[in-house]
Amino acid sequence: MNYPCIKVDLDKIEDNARFIVDKCKENGIDVYAVTKVFCGNVQIAKAALKGGVIGLADSRVENLKKFEGLSCEKLLLRLPMKSQVQEVVKYADTSLNSEIETIRLLDEEAERQGKVHNIILMIDLGDLREGVWEDKVMETAEEIVKLKNIGFGGIGVNLTCYGGVMPDDVNLGKLISFKEEIEKEFEIQLKIVSGGNSSSLYKVFDGSVPEGINMLRIGETIVLGRETAFGEAVEGMHLDAFRLQGEIVEMKRKPSLPIGKIGMDAFGNTPSFEDRGEIIRAIVALGRQDVNIDGLEPYDSKISILGGSSDHLLLDITEVADRYKIGSVVEFNVDYGALLGAYTSEYIQKR
Ligand SMILES: *Cc1c(COP(=O)(O)O)cnc(C)c1O
């Protein structure tokens, strides 16, 4: 057995996915599970599919490629790179897009591969990440409908990612209006109106999602059981599907304040310390090179994290010192950033 490792409870992931799928279904909304935070781990993706999501969505083609053997819809979230259109058409059924230049390349590549590639046109409704600006929606749509090997699957928005803009009746309402306008102007049907990510769920829970939003792309809430508009735990969901485990390599009684003149720490910051007197300190073999340690929370609430460096995590275990020894394993819950780090780090075993 190797440490550090991240353990996932697949039943909890399945439960969480089913919880979201059921709530969304009541509102006429399909759910794609977003798999990027666990780097497209196939077992976790399968658990989400068991929970009833209609497809898998990831920002990286490399992760979608891992899903090649799974029979479900595959959606590329990050705008395709021009240099990657071949893989995009090969591994994604649908991609989110905002640049007509790239969409034209996808069209040519789809013809070459004898496929229709579906796109969702992203509209920027104020969050200032991806999407065409409102005054360019109709002219972009006009170009898209001319392309023979592109399926115009629908439109979408991404919110609360860069600008922190909350999904509300105004911006989601605009999205629905654009659907109607495009359908009327070009005499087509748009199947999908994708109303965002986990931050849109609060409107699903309170029943206020405008009618017409029929798809959401959900990552964080499925894996961590929290919605992201207010950061609230969702009642009825598992908050503890993941456990990051690290091993204690030193445990000693020492002061809580360093001795000597304080300069900079390993990361160039001037540290400050709280005087707790003498404490029992434990070092866990895990560090900033693996995860954002600020995103860790010990499952044992009597343990507190003092800080850490690249490879060392320092804990105050004074209150529970009798329960731990050298070689003991300490378990942590993770936030989104720490989970991403844990799955990305080649030093952390996945179990
Ligand atoms: C990451 C991402 C999502 C999922 O966001 P969560 O907050 O994890 O639900 C949805 N859409 C796009 C475009 C993304 O990049």
Side-chain angles (χ1 to χ4, degrees), residues 124-136:
D124 189 338
L125 295 172
D127 198 56
L128 300 183
R129 207 179 75 178
E130 70 273 54
V132 295
W133 205 244
E134 287 177 48
D135 60 354
K136 297 285 189 292

Side-chain angles (χ1 to χ4, degrees), residues 149-213:
N149 308 287
I150 292 294
F152 195 170
I155 55 177
V157 67
N158 198 50
L159 293 162
T160 341
C161 257
Y162 174 73
V165 174
M166 294 269 278
D168 58 24
D169 293 338
V170 177
N171 47 40
L172 295 182
K174 270 189 191 167
L175 191 65
I176 294 161
S177 306
F178 273 123
K179 173 196 192 247
E180 289 159 1
E181 202 180 330
I182 292 168
E183 289 188 331
K184 204 157 144 226
E185 177 76 21
F186 305 109
E187 296 177 339
I188 54 170
Q189 293 288 314
L190 294 182
K191 219 175 92 201
I192 298 166
V193 182
S194 183
N197 53 48
S198 294
S199 71
S200 295
L201 284 171
Y202 83 97
K203 291 185 73 65
V204 173
F205 299 147
D206 72 13
S208 70
V209 187
E211 201 177 319
I213 301 293

Side-chain angles (χ1 to χ4, degrees), residues 238-284:
H238 301 287
L239 306 177
D240 58 349
F242 294 91
R243 304 178 100 79
L244 179 63
Q245 300 182 321
E247 183 177 328
I248 295 178
V249 293
E250 180 184 295
M251 205 174 126
K252 292 185 192 306
R253 178 176 290 275
K254 290 185 191 179
S256 43
L257 293 182
I259 316 284
K261 195 162 168 270
I262 305 298
M264 284 188 297
D265 68 13
F267 286 82
N269 306 307
T270 304
S272 63
F273 303 93
E274 180 195 342
D275 190 358
R276 305 182 182 180
E278 279 209 345
I279 55 176
I280 313 239
R281 307 170 68 96
I283 300 179
V284 169

